[in-house]
Amino acid sequence: MCGSGGVGKTTLSAALALRLAEEGRRVLVLTIDPARRLADALGTGDLDNEPRRVPTERGELRALMLDSKATFDDLVRRHSPSPEVCERILTNHYYRFVSERLPGVHEYMAMERLLSLALNDEADVIVLDTPPTRHALDFLAAPDRMAGLMDESVMRWLVLPATASGWRMLEMGSDVLAGVLKRLLGPTTIADIAEFFSGFQTLWGGFRERSIAVRALLRSPTTQFVLVTAPAPGARAEAIAFLEVLQRDGMPFSGFFINRCAPPAPPDLAWPKPPEHRSTGEWERVRSEVAATLDRRRALTAAQDRAVEDLLAHAPSGSQAWRIPDQPTDVHDLPSLRRLGVALDTSGAIAALRRNG
Ligand SMILES: Nc1ncnc2c1ncn2[C@@H]1O[C@H](COP(=O)(O)OP(=O)(O)OP(=O)(O)O)[C@@H](O)[C@H]1O
Ligand SMILES: [Mg+2]
């Protein structure tokens, strides 16, 4: 589930997951940034990287929230050749920088977490929420970038000179370099970096293999991408730009959730005669106010129709757009998520997603 900031990705991911679970599937929702009240509703309030059961009326729903540092630590623990190497990596200053602050690491760990759930969890469906568009693009590119970084030739270049003592000499020879490093990486020294790479080289192959597996998973026919957008032109333009990236990368696209749509305008009323206690003039004023409101509603519906046509004109043939109504209240608890799930069903989205996957 992708889209620009604030359009409703997290909310719709949760509503879709809840609906699918209460229809009888085993569902897992991996969310990136639920608003506090939504996290509480889902039971992910304490920001856990492990799936937690959500108290549904029927079926099985579990939710987890990505903790990229915990995911990285876990990978190091699982794949280190020995407890000593593992300890050396986990306590290394440069590793701390890499696992917490290296640009793109969050997106990459989301992919690692997704892969491990896809391979090891017994869920029938995994719903993945994503960060806003700009970051989501990073997140699509992350496995490719990581595969490039994990390329052995790059690795060899990094480790090569690098008996730790070689790097240390470099460090001693350059106060300037050490100063720059300190500013960029906090307490990290060149020796830390050398040590990190020498410990980490045993894990490299595994990272590379998994990044290739993630790329295959994202493009597999069991994966479906849904773009969340709004009828407003700005959100639409971002959705179209995002769609181009999906298509260029060969990702399987199912359709758009056009969120927060106004309900369709009611049909014309046969205007009754004025009641006895109202003057004709007064009654005419009420009638024209109601007519103006209806006109505004119709104009809104027509603009939404044009927005849908515009989106579909940019999408591959066979793509669909589902209109999700704006809810009267904020969506932050299970009953309101359930109502939104019903709206997703009524829009035809759930049947279509089921047919595709
Ligand atoms: N159909 C809807 N009707 C009413 N309110 C909605 C609807 N969809 C989402 N919202 C509200 O919009 C707000 C933003 O939603 P949400 O956090 O899901 O967006 P997001 O796309 O995940 O944002 P971000 O890009 O910051 O991750 C929330 O307060 C949510 O309750
Ligand atoms: Mg969100």
Side-chain angles (χ1 to χ4, degrees):
M1 190 96 60
C2 318
S4 43
V7 284
K9 300 174 294 298
T10 303
T11 308
L12 289 177
S13 299
L16 175 66
L18 180 62
R19 181 73 182 176
L20 293 174
E22 294 194 334
E23 276 180 351
R25 298 193 187 200
R26 287 171 302 177
V27 184
L28 197 57
V29 58
L30 170 52
T31 180
I32 309 288
D33 63 339
R36 191 77 220 164
R37 286 185 302 170
L38 180 60
D40 289 343
L42 286 175
T44 59
D46 28 12
L47 313 181
D48 210 314
N49 205 33
E50 293 305 316
R52 291 277 169 106
R53 190 72 187 257
V54 178
T56 52
E57 284 178 356
R58 292 173 296 282
E60 182 191 304
L61 175 60
R62 286 166 306 136
L64 69 155
M65 171 154 159
L66 178 72
D67 178 338
S68 65
K69 166 94 171 103
T71 303
F72 210 150
D73 288 356
D74 197 43
L75 286 169
V76 171
R77 275 191 207 101
R78 250 182 308 134
H79 299 289
S80 288
S82 67
E84 294 72 38
V85 172
C86 174
E87 193 55 25
R88 231 171 63 213
I89 296 174
L90 292 181
T91 53
N92 180 286
H93 285 303
Y94 186 63
Y95 171 73
R96 279 197 202 139
F97 166 78
V98 167
S99 59
E100 286 168 19
R101 289 193 288 135
L102 188 73
V105 72
H106 195 63
E107 288 77 10
Y108 183 66
M109 285 304 135
M111 294 291 89
E112 282 275 6
R113 195 72 187 102
L114 175 67
L115 180 69
S116 110
L117 293 166
L119 294 178
N120 305 316
D121 196 274
E122 77 278 7
D124 304 318
V125 182
I126 300 175
V127 180
L128 174 70
D129 169 33
T130 67
T133 314
R134 201 164 46 77
H135 297 114
L137 297 180
D138 292 350
F139 133 100
L140 286 178
D144 297 276
R145 277 218 316 266
M146 220 55 178
L149 189 68
M150 300 300 160
D151 193 288
E152 272 179 44
S153 54
V154 178
M155 189 54 214
R156 229 176 293 129
W157 178 82
L158 286 166
V159 182
L160 185 77
T163 58
S165 60
W167 281 95
R168 254 181 231 119
M169 277 169 64
L170 185 62
E171 183 180 27
M172 281 187 291
S174 170
D175 291 346
V176 177
L177 184 58
V180 169
L181 271 183
K182 202 169 205 108
R183 271 206 305 284
L184 288 176
L185 307 176
T188 303
T189 62
I190 290 178
D192 288 327
I193 299 177
E195 182 154 349
F196 167 76
F197 279 112
S198 78
F200 208 71
Q201 56 181 319
T202 49
L203 305 185
W204 243 207
F207 270 80
R208 186 153 190 281
E209 270 163 32
R210 286 192 306 279
S211 68
I212 291 167
V214 170
R215 281 195 288 181
L217 174 67
L218 291 179
R219 289 167 178 84
S220 91
T222 56
T223 300
Q224 300 190 56
F225 280 83
V226 175
L227 268 170
V228 183
T229 184
R236 225 159 65 222
E238 285 201 49
I240 290 168
F242 192 84
L243 178 62
E244 278 162 14
V245 176
L246 285 183
Q247 287 186 276
R248 195 193 60 211
D249 289 355
M251 305 288 177
F253 173 68
S254 288
F256 301 98
F257 282 164
I258 306 179
N259 196 20
R260 312 197 76 156
C261 284
D268 253 340
L269 298 170
W271 198 249
K273 288 203 174 68
E276 293 194 347
H277 60 279
R278 299 267 183 155
S279 72
T280 314
E282 198 186 357
W283 193 232
E284 179 52 30
R285 264 200 311 283
V286 175
R287 192 200 66 76
S288 72
E289 262 173 43
V290 171
T293 307
L294 279 177
D295 280 348
R296 277 198 298 278
R297 290 276 299 277
R298 281 194 203 101
L300 200 59
T301 310
Q304 276 176 198
D305 291 343
R306 286 195 298 278
V308 171
E309 276 168 30
D310 179 46
L311 278 173
L312 290 177
H314 286 85
S317 67
S319 310
Q320 287 181 274
W322 301 287
R323 295 182 207 206
I324 317 301
D326 195 15
Q327 303 293 299
T329 57
D330 205 37
V331 186
H332 58 77
D333 55 12
L334 286 178
S336 55
L337 280 176
R338 200 168 279 126
R339 281 194 295 278
L340 199 52
V342 172
L344 281 170
D345 211 347
T346 314
S347 75
I350 292 194
L353 294 175
R354 210 184 289 123
R355 268 197 307 278
N356 291 349

